[in-house]
Structure formats: C-alpha cells, structure tokens
C-alpha cells in the first residue's frame, strides 16, 4: 500500500487489517514518506501490485497499479480482496 493523499493513512490501515484477516499478504510503506519514495519501496519489495489510497477513496475505490507494466485500475474497496486473489 501507498498513501497518495495526506490524511488517508488511517483508511489504508483499516483496509490493510481487513485484507490480512481475509488471508491476503499485505505490506505497507512508511506513509510519512513522499509518494515517489513509497513507490520505490514497494518496487524494491518485489510487490506485483501496489494499492494506492488517495482521493478515489471518496468514490469507494482504490487504485491498483501492476508494477511490472505500470497499468492502473480503480477497484471497489468491497471487491479488492477478490480482485487480488485473481
């Protein structure tokens, strides 16, 4: 997870906890760092997908970025666990 919008750290923490309870391995970065630094840390970790918690949260979605090719999709917060499993 990376947090793109200041003040969304708690939202990310809640979603991380929910995904972990669902059995999904989730790592987070230091959200106090810049967005660029958070993405670099996610890339160094070997993450296949990075979830971005930002302004999309208000619409009930998070942005999912495939690290291999940079493609991005907005995924419903309610459907993110199923999406990650596929």
């Amino acid at each position: 997870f990376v947090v793109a919008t200041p003040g969304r750290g708690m939202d990310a923490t809640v979603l991380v906890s929910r995904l972990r309870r669902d059995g999904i391995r989730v790592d987070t970065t230091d959200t106090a760092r810049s967005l660029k630094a958070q993405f670099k840390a996610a890339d160094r970790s070997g993450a296949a997908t990075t979830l971005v918690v930002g302004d999309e949260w208000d619409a009930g979605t998070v942005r999912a970025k495939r690290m291999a090719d940079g493609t991005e999709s907005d995924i419903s917060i309610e459907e993110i666990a199923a999406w990650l499993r596929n």
Side-chain angles (χ1 to χ4, degrees):
F1 269 88
V2 301
V3 176
T5 304
R8 292 287 185 203
M10 185 54 73
D11 296 326
T13 300
V14 169
L15 187 54
V16 164
S17 295
R18 192 180 97 206
L19 291 172
R20 286 179 176 162
R21 277 193 311 271
D22 288 344
I24 297 172
R25 180 174 176 240
V26 180
D27 293 323
T28 60
T29 61
D30 179 1
T31 61
R33 299 170 70 190
S34 71
L35 184 59
K36 183 177 179 178
Q38 290 180 69
F39 270 110
K40 281 185 179 183
D43 191 41
R44 280 192 308 269
S45 76
T49 303
T50 300
L51 300 178
V52 183
V53 176
D55 292 332
E56 302 85 8
W57 188 269
D58 291 332
T61 64
V62 293
R63 174 129 326 142
K65 180 177 181 178
R66 299 274 185 200
M67 299 302 283
D69 61 11
T71 59
E72 297 182 1
S73 305
D74 286 344
I75 310 297
S76 165
I77 294 167
E78 297 305 317
E79 296 174 2
I80 194 67
W83 186 87
L84 287 169
R85 285 188 183 106
N86 294 328

